[in-house]
């Protein structure tokens, strides 16, 4: 089948590749409709690896996906041919200790699309377990369905934050993950969010998502604004979604006593962690690695209109333009949030 293949670091090709996938009794075959370009896809393209995951042989990219079921396994009863679906890309070993404890995202043997050596889904069809495939309500487009994967990170972060009604949150970083975290925090009950970044177009988009105060950290002191907006108390929750080492080292400056910090972004190197600043506030610190048990929630929030993820899709390319889409996304234009690739006409 024709697919977008990462041949090696820095080299992409849209070409035929042989992928053998047997449809088991508990599987479905999905024709892909929309696939998002994720930062991890770009990282593999540019750097050839992420941590211990190194591209050693050609690999198909893409893991943020939606599509239509074209075949179901003999034991599948919850889904049918023609269903519009989105797919959770990480498949754990059900026998692993992490999976049995309900922490399946932490299973060291999880098979995650477009993580070496597992092929991704920038190709016509994929076989996937039915239990990790979720039907899209009629009100949720294929485009929004492909946003469920990044949205799941924000929902997982908001869940770990234990947000209470009326809380004030700070979200550091207004890229895709930062903006879906803004949406998830507001949906979870935050009365307002203070969002910081250094790019005005992203902050302008953040301000359109609800009661959001945008702060350009290059021109303004975030800690001072947080103190001003909270009567010198601090935010109830601080989400670090930038991955910037300096920003991550300052999270406790924005936090109220007894508040919660959720670390989402992944710095490229160790960060300075101010233990005393955390101690004097008795800060609770949570960490996020992907997500678990939140896909149904994310789909439901999209269906209800509580969250509108379509607004974050800024650029669309056709499948034949996949290489161009990745070259565009790697340049990170300030007004770009989410790039998607349309594999078949969904209009």
């Amino acid at each position: 089948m024709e697919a977008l293949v990462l041949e090696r670091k820095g080299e992409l090709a849209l070409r035929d590749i042989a992928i053998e996938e047997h449809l088991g009794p508990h599987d479905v075959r999905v024709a892909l409709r929309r696939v998002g370009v994720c930062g991890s896809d770009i990282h593999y393209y540019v750097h050839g690896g992420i941590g211990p995951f190194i591209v050693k042989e050609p690999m198909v990219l893409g893991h943020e996906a939606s599509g239509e079921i074209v075949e179901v396994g003999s034991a599948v009863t919850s889904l049918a041919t023609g269903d519009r679906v989105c797919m959770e890309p990480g498949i754990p070993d059900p026998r692993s200790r992490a999976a049995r404890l309900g922490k399946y995202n932490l299973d060291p043997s999880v098979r995650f699309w477009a993580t070496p050596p597992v092929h991704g889904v920038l190709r016509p069809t994929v076989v996937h377990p039915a239990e990790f495939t979720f039907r899209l309500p009629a009100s949720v487009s294929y485009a929004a369905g492909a946003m469920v994967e990044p949205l799941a990170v924000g929902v997982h972060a908001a869940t770990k934050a234990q947000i209470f009604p009326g809380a004030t949150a700070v979200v550091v970083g207004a890229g895709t993950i930062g903006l879906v975290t803004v949406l998830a925090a507001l949906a979870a009950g935050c009365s307002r969010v203070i969002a910081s970044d250094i790019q005005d177009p992203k902050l302008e988009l953040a301000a359109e998502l609800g009661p959001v105060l945008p702060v350009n950290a290059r021109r303004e002191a975030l800690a001072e604004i947080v103190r001003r907006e909270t009567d010198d108390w601090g935010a109830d929750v601080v989400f670090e979604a930038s991955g910037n080492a300096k920003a991550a080292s300052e999270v406790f400056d924005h936090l109220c006593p007894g508040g919660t910090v959720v670390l989402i972004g992944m710095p490229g190197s160790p960060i300075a962690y101010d233990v005393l600043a955390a101690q004097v506030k008795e800060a609770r610190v949570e960490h996020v690695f992907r997500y678990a048990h939140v896909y149904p929630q994310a789909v439901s929030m999209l269906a209800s209109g509580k969250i509108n993820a379509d607004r974050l899709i800024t650029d669309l390319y056709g499948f034949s333009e996949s290489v161009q889409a990745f070259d565009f996304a790697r340049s990170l234009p300030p007004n770009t949030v989410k790039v998607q690739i349309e594999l078949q006409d969904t209009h």
Side-chain angles (χ1 to χ4, degrees), residues 162-180:
Q162 299 178 17
I163 292 171
F164 56 86
T168 295
V170 169
V171 175
V172 181
T176 300
I177 296 302
L179 292 175
V180 294

Side-chain angles (χ1 to χ4, degrees), residues 192-347:
R192 58 179 173 161
V193 174
I194 300 169
S196 74
D197 202 277
I198 59 173
Q199 295 181 329
D200 286 328
K202 290 181 171 59
L203 290 169
E204 290 166 7
L205 178 55
E208 297 174 3
L209 301 179
V212 177
L213 174 64
V215 176
N216 188 311
R218 184 168 281 165
R219 298 192 301 265
E220 304 170 277
L222 177 60
E224 291 181 11
I225 292 174
V226 172
R227 285 195 291 270
R228 182 192 74 200
E229 294 294 320
T230 60
D231 296 327
D232 209 29
W233 178 245
D236 301 294
V237 182
V238 177
F239 296 98
E240 206 307 297
S242 72
N244 178 275
K246 182 178 184 298
S249 70
E250 298 172 349
V251 289
F252 301 114
D253 295 346
H254 320 310
L255 191 68
C256 75
T260 301
V261 167
V262 183
L263 298 173
I264 311 171
M266 293 184 174
S269 59
I271 66 169
Y273 186 100
D274 193 335
V275 176
L276 182 58
Q279 283 181 316
V280 298
K281 291 184 176 180
E282 285 201 348
R284 179 167 63 90
V285 182
E286 295 281 357
H287 301 80
V288 164
F289 182 66
R290 296 173 179 160
Y291 38 76
H293 308 292
V294 298
Y295 249 65
Q297 294 170 247
V299 172
S300 294
M301 286 189 285
L302 288 171
S304 71
K306 190 75 174 177
I307 286 180
N308 180 3
D310 291 272
R311 300 170 73 176
L312 306 186
I313 303 166
T314 53
D315 302 273
L316 180 64
Y317 287 78
F319 184 48
S320 63
E321 304 170 306
S322 294
V323 175
Q324 296 96 303
F326 270 70
D327 285 335
F328 174 81
R330 72 182 291 185
S331 69
L332 288 176
N335 58 350
T336 291
V337 177
K338 175 54 62 179
V339 176
Q340 284 191 348
I341 294 173
E342 187 173 50
L343 280 85
Q344 296 187 36
D345 187 3
T346 57
H347 301 293

